[in-house]
Amino acid sequence: MANVYGYVRVSSREQNEDRQMRALQELSIPEKNIFLDKQSGKDFERPAYKRMVRRIRKDDLLYIKSIDRLGRNYEEIQNQWRILTKDKGIDICVIDMPLLDTRRGKDLVGTFLSDIVLQVLSFVAENERTNIRQRQAEGIAAAKKRGVKFGRPPLPYPDNFKEICKDWKKKKITLRQAAEACQMPVGTFYGKARKLGSFV
């Protein structure tokens, strides 16, 4: 007897999967057959997805809310679709796009139409991923122009930093000893000493 599965993906742990889960629960998919990944769709190296692919068998049915939940890489979406439908022999239904339901139109025309729709949608999914990256890069560049600092704030200099720098400059102590006295890695001490102009 064929089983029904659902696949849910959100891009990060902060994102909420409720909307996708509700759509699958409305189809009465058993909870044990719903697989959830909380990570990027850039590739298919996802633990829940891999477990699901190992479990599904010929003639099973897989529901996903939208094609971008499957992934955002045009070539890999096409490849996974082929593995699932041709190699594994399962049916896929994309809830938000009824044309992408492999149970319907299994004749040549139906297959041709669903292949075209899949190509268009997977292209759109990858294009959106590219646009997101570009918008992020533009946002970061604009923030840097406004003086926004990224990363952790630099640690303050220890109280004894200047004295230790002087001792090190006069060769009273080695670079390693100076760094250890300031409880810093050697490279950090050296960089901060240069920045302070403690030596030329």
Side-chain angles (χ1 to χ4, degrees):
M1 171 129 179
N3 286 307
V4 181
Y5 294 92
Y7 180 68
V8 172
R9 182 185 67 79
V10 288
S11 297
S12 67
R13 297 201 172 275
E14 291 74 40
Q15 286 187 340
N16 196 312
E17 67 274 10
D18 288 354
R19 187 178 62 89
Q20 294 176 68
M21 291 297 276
R22 270 198 307 274
L24 297 176
Q25 286 159 356
E26 284 169 11
L27 296 164
S28 301
I29 299 171
E31 200 169 310
K32 66 183 174 64
N33 286 1
I34 296 176
F35 291 81
L36 166 66
D37 276 312
K38 292 193 174 191
Q39 67 187 85
S40 165
K42 66 182 167 56
D43 59 41
F44 284 85
E45 292 303 312
R46 305 177 219 140
Y49 182 82
K50 286 180 160 183
R51 279 199 312 277
M52 180 190 73
V53 171
R54 282 196 300 271
R55 196 200 286 186
I56 55 180
R57 298 288 177 263
K58 190 177 187 308
D59 297 325
D60 285 346
L61 171 61
L62 171 64
Y63 281 100
I64 51 174
K65 182 81 169 84
S66 57
I67 196 70
D68 65 346
R69 297 306 86 204
L70 191 59
R72 286 191 178 275
N73 180 306
Y74 175 74
E75 202 171 304
E76 290 205 19
I77 292 172
Q78 301 275 344
N79 189 40
Q80 287 300 311
W81 190 276
R82 182 190 56 74
I83 289 168
L84 294 170
T85 59
K86 304 288 192 295
D87 299 355
K88 286 276 192 180
I90 71 161
D91 280 309
I92 304 176
C93 177
V94 180
I95 299 166
D96 287 351
M97 180 55 61
L99 276 172
L100 279 178
D101 184 343
T102 59
R103 295 169 299 175
R104 300 168 45 185
K106 292 217 176 206
D107 59 359
L108 189 60
V109 174
T111 303
F112 176 69
L113 282 174
S114 97
D115 282 351
I116 288 175
V117 172
L118 173 65
Q119 287 191 32
V120 170
L121 290 178
S122 53
F123 170 78
V124 168
E126 175 155 349
N127 198 46
E128 177 59 17
R129 181 169 156 248
T130 303
N131 288 341
I132 288 169
R133 281 203 309 262
Q134 186 177 336
R135 287 194 295 269
Q136 284 173 338
E138 288 168 356
I140 290 167
K144 281 182 176 175
K145 271 190 176 176
R146 292 194 311 272
V148 175
K149 301 282 186 200
F150 291 90
R152 291 180 297 183
L155 292 171
Y157 291 96
D159 294 336
N160 60 348
F161 188 75
K162 284 186 181 174
E163 291 74 35
I164 290 170
C165 280
K166 284 175 188 168
D167 288 346
W168 170 61
K169 192 178 174 187
K170 291 175 182 171
K171 300 194 184 322
K172 290 182 180 177
I173 56 174
T174 66
L175 176 60
R176 182 169 299 283
Q177 287 169 333
E180 283 173 2
C182 291
Q183 297 182 332
M184 292 179 180
V186 170
T188 303
F189 174 83
Y190 187 84
K192 283 184 179 290
R194 282 197 71 102
K195 199 176 269 188
L196 268 187
S198 297
F199 73 100
V200 179

